[in-house]
Amino acid sequence: MTDTIAAGVQPTAPDEVGEARSLGQDAWRALKKNKLFWASVVLIVLFVLMAIWPSLFTNQDPTYGDISRVRQRPSAEHWFGTDGQGYDIYSRTIYGARASIIVGICTSIATLLVGGVIGIIAGFYGGWVDAVVSRITDIFFAIPLLLGGILFMASFPNDANTPYFVIVGKVVLTLTIFGWPSIARLMRSSVLQVKPNEYVLAARALGASPWRIIRSHILPNALAPAIVVATINLGAYIVAEATLSFLGIGLTPPAISWGVAISDALVAIRTYPHILLFPSLFLSLAVLAFIMLGDAVRDAFDPKSR
Amino acid sequence: MGKYIVRRLLQMIPVVLGATFIIFAMVFALPGDPTAGKCGERPCSPEYVAKFREEHNLNDPLPVQYGKYLGKLVQGDLGTNYYGIPVKEDLAKRYTITGRLAVMAIAFEAIIGILAGVLAGVRKGRFIDNLVTVSTLFVISIPVFVIGVFMQYTLGIKWGIFPATVPSLDASTWSLVLPAFVLGALSIAYVARLTRTNLVENLRADYVRTAAAKGLSKQRTVGVHTLRNSLIPVITFIGADFGALLGGAIVTERIFNIQGVGGYIFRSINSRDGVAVVSAVTVLVIVYLLVNLLVDLLYGVLDPRISHD
């Protein structure tokens, strides 16, 4: 044990003394060695490719249903079999990635922006601003995501002619409205941790504007936890979209998504489990990839775990 | 302590008001006509529609409607839904079953989750640790409705170990075991991971080394000294989760045919029954806030350094 440590430290030790590494560079070095990180990156790249160019993976038309070949088992012609409408499950699973990835990524970015800004305002200004903003955060935090989502989606229903991006946009908006408070709370507490540091006091004493203090001192030091949670939440939003679709209220046909496919497949689980298996598998892999990425990034940014 | 509770209770008022207003506004925005389909195959007579709208204050602008609703709410009157049934009666029945479900789910979380987390944390890097970390990751990444339908099919229908559906509102505890486990599955995984992380972190603390050095048994070092300190984030999570379980039970309830709050809200939304929706959600928010207060008070018990004076 001591030998390996000594062997590992000695050759690099002289370099490391002269080299001043930032937290970000440090984290990157730790990440590069993490196998889980690379596994999740590969998966995510695959899913993002599927979302952008589904035709790279399949040349079948996901909207072509052949009623004479419904619920077929996997075969050479239809790798994953066909579903209850005679659609090719493989191509629908590939095309379904788009909805989940868009919902996941857009919702995460939107909650990070909204929650981040609100959390910084509450944490940085304090006093009555904090009191008011924190109460507003509490209000949205107290409404369960799923219930709020159901209500919101019911208030603005889709019909068969609603364009694809409007349907997806609504889901993103819903999840953002009820999802930002967790980021805001986190951001507020990390700003409160950073604010009393000497470098912030020094910047203030030198007459830096609040905007400058936030941008170049508070933000870089308080952002890491929020980014980690947003990455992990990305998986949760993908599941939330699927759940809303399962309840028949999130994405609605003709939009193709894993959630819609799973909810359609559930009726035939006893007789045709393969229809359920493939979309669930892809959905779970996508969620898994983002959770593993978040975990890896958190470990990298958390010096205590080393 | 008393002062702290009063202050917290006062802070709840704006939160409850705000949350109910948001729900109220969204219900107000619901498209469709609540009188549609109430008169069978023909459209309702204008007299009936006028009377119905008058009775339920549907002609007033949003703030006035909300004010009238609040006025009643303060007196403890949750109003009647559009079928003339007092919402309070309906909610009492439905909250009983959903509440039982959620409490059982919480029990699963606390027992299985913490136990798995402790086992994994104590044997960090060993087989059981890897087993717990990997299996919880799987549970987290599979949507709850897939888990639910799968378990219902295998354990309930194929092997017949558990009842596959819940027949009535006063169902036996036994028939709620499987639904409660499904409802809590995701949180069991979170609790296990959270317990493990905190335990591992605290096991390295100086006071643990001191405890071990002065000759305390391993059970006492881990079980009393470390676990007690590691449980605070876990309790916070479980407390916040109670409200989420009540609201999120809708999926589980739908799979296992439980006539609980989630289904009630869903149906009320579909029949444009605003009063029922708002009242059900208001109760949910109040329960959520009270449980959170309770959790904050528990901190003081777990960690005497935290005081609320």
Side-chain angles (χ1 to χ4, degrees):
Chain A
M1 190 66 202
T2 24
D3 290 344
T4 48
I5 290 176
V9 168
Q10 264 173 352
T12 48
D15 305 342
E16 280 181 21
V17 176
E19 190 187 354
R21 276 183 284 133
S22 71
L23 183 64
Q25 285 166 317
D26 236 9
W28 174 237
R29 278 172 77 104
L31 271 181
K32 272 197 295 196
K33 284 185 224 139
N34 191 339
K35 286 193 199 91
L36 280 182
F37 169 73
W38 289 111
S40 57
V41 165
V42 168
L43 274 175
I44 289 169
V45 167
L46 264 178
F47 282 121
V48 170
L49 272 180
M50 263 180 222
I52 301 173
W53 293 293
S55 45
L56 271 182
F57 296 85
T58 174
N59 49 14
Q60 300 236 24
D61 179 4
T63 57
Y64 173 71
D66 184 349
I67 210 79
S68 65
R69 40 156 225 213
V70 297
R71 290 177 179 156
Q72 282 177 356
R73 308 242 164 224
S75 63
E77 194 190 347
H78 302 292
W79 291 357
F80 291 177
T82 56
D83 71 0
Q85 304 290 338
Y87 294 130
D88 178 57
I89 296 178
Y90 175 68
S91 67
R92 279 185 88 80
T93 308
I94 297 290
Y95 277 83
R98 181 174 288 172
S100 294
I101 297 295
I102 293 180
V103 167
I105 292 181
C106 291
T107 312
S108 268
I109 294 175
T111 48
L112 195 59
L113 284 177
V114 176
V117 168
I118 292 177
I120 289 176
I121 291 174
F124 186 76
Y125 289 99
W128 67 269
V129 180
D130 182 25
V132 171
V133 172
S134 291
R135 285 297 84 71
I136 296 175
T137 315
D138 285 350
I139 289 173
F140 282 90
F141 205 76
I143 303 175
L145 178 74
L146 207 52
L147 273 189
I150 293 169
L151 246 180
F152 190 88
M153 294 304 291
S155 302
F156 305 98
N158 302 318
D159 58 45
N161 296 322
T162 318
Y164 181 77
F165 285 101
V166 175
I167 300 181
V168 175
K170 263 191 235 171
V171 176
V172 171
L173 187 65
T174 313
L175 294 179
T176 307
I177 290 177
F178 297 99
W180 64 267
S182 62
I183 302 279
R185 281 190 174 184
L186 190 70
M187 202 67 200
R188 173 176 173 272
S189 62
S190 47
V191 169
L192 286 181
Q193 265 176 20
V194 172
K195 211 171 85 170
N197 282 344
E198 285 85 358
Y199 53 84
V200 178
L201 296 178
R204 194 172 295 203
L206 288 169
S209 67
W211 167 238
R212 190 182 158 78
I213 296 176
I214 290 176
R215 192 171 45 99
S216 47
H217 297 291
I218 303 244
L219 205 55
N221 291 296
L223 200 57
I227 289 182
V228 168
V229 171
T231 317
I232 295 178
N233 276 353
L234 211 155
Y237 294 133
I238 293 179
V239 172
E241 176 271 309
T243 309
L244 284 176
S245 303
F246 164 73
L247 293 171
I249 204 161
L251 297 177
T252 42
I256 302 169
S257 96
W258 294 332
V260 173
I262 292 172
S263 117
D264 285 345
L266 287 178
V267 289
I269 180 183
R270 279 182 231 178
T271 36
Y272 301 100
H274 71 276
I275 304 179
L276 176 66
L277 174 68
F278 294 107
S280 318
L281 186 71
F282 273 59
L283 178 67
S284 301
L285 278 178
V287 176
L288 193 66
F290 284 108
I291 293 178
M292 286 195 313
L293 180 70
D295 270 357
V297 175
R298 179 180 47 206
D299 286 350
F301 271 100
D302 182 10
K304 264 194 262 176
S305 70
R306 280 188 211 137
Chain B
M1 186 86 165
K3 238 181 172 172
Y4 173 77
I5 295 178
V6 171
R7 202 178 70 227
R8 285 287 301 265
L9 287 175
L10 287 177
Q11 278 182 352
M12 280 181 196
I13 295 173
V15 175
V16 172
L17 287 181
T20 45
F21 183 73
I22 290 172
I23 302 292
F24 208 91
M26 282 206 291
V27 171
F28 193 81
L30 278 179
D33 178 10
T35 57
K38 281 190 96 69
C39 309
E41 296 279 312
R42 61 206 151 80
C44 288
S45 64
E47 293 80 33
Y48 175 77
V49 173
K51 184 162 165 278
F52 185 89
R53 298 192 72 87
E54 187 56 39
E55 235 169 57
H56 293 99
N57 307 322
L58 291 179
N59 295 324
D60 298 329
L62 173 65
V64 177
Q65 273 193 37
Y66 180 64
K68 283 184 180 169
Y69 175 78
L70 270 189
K72 277 195 193 163
L73 184 71
V74 171
Q75 299 163 22
D77 179 10
L78 294 178
T80 58
N81 69 6
Y82 291 166
Y83 298 95
I85 302 165
V87 173
K88 215 192 234 169
E89 258 174 48
D90 257 355
L91 280 186
K93 274 189 249 162
R94 284 155 187 280
Y95 264 107
T96 315
I97 189 130
T98 305
R100 279 168 71 195
L101 200 62
V103 168
M104 285 169 71
I106 293 276
F108 276 127
E109 266 174 48
I111 298 167
I112 305 179
I114 293 180
L115 197 67
V118 170
L119 282 179
V122 173
R123 293 186 175 74
K124 184 173 186 256
R126 308 266 283 280
F127 172 73
I128 183 109
D129 181 30
N130 292 332
L131 182 74
V132 169
T133 344
V134 171
S135 58
T136 48
L137 205 53
F138 271 111
V139 173
I140 291 172
S141 55
I142 302 173
V144 73
F145 52 94
V146 174
I147 298 180
V149 172
F150 180 75
M151 289 186 82
Q152 182 190 39
Y153 173 57
T154 50
L155 296 178
I157 297 169
K158 213 167 170 186
W159 300 330
I161 304 171
F162 293 99
T165 54
V166 179
S168 70
L169 273 176
D170 34 40
S172 67
T173 308
W174 172 241
S175 65
L176 289 178
V177 168
L178 189 58
F181 185 78
V182 170
L183 180 62
L186 182 67
S187 307
I188 293 175
Y190 276 126
V191 167
R193 291 176 78 91
L194 201 58
T195 310
R196 176 189 172 274
T197 314
N198 281 295
L199 197 66
V200 167
E201 211 171 296
N202 281 337
L203 275 174
R204 282 192 298 229
D206 291 340
Y207 67 84
V208 177
R209 198 179 308 133
T210 310
K214 71 183 182 186
L216 292 186
S217 67
K218 180 142 193 195
Q219 279 96 339
R220 209 173 153 76
T221 325
V222 174
V224 180
H225 290 252
T226 326
L227 194 58
R228 199 165 139 175
N229 270 298
S230 313
L231 277 186
I232 287 186
V234 179
I235 301 273
T236 312
F237 175 83
I238 294 182
D241 202 38
F242 187 71
L245 287 181
L246 284 178
I250 178 164
V251 176
T252 318
E253 286 173 1
R254 184 174 269 213
I255 294 169
F256 292 97
N257 184 37
I258 301 169
Q259 309 297 316
V261 179
Y264 182 71
I265 294 176
F266 196 75
R267 228 192 37 221
S268 304
I269 291 172
N270 283 338
S271 59
R272 310 285 172 252
D273 203 336
V275 178
V277 177
V278 179
S279 301
V281 178
T282 308
V283 175
L284 202 68
V285 170
I286 293 176
V287 169
Y288 168 80
L289 292 171
L290 286 178
V291 171
N292 271 3
L293 174 59
L294 198 69
V295 166
D296 283 358
L297 294 177
L298 259 182
Y299 286 173
V301 178
L302 279 173
D303 187 345
R305 284 170 301 184
I306 300 172
S307 118
H308 296 299
D309 293 322

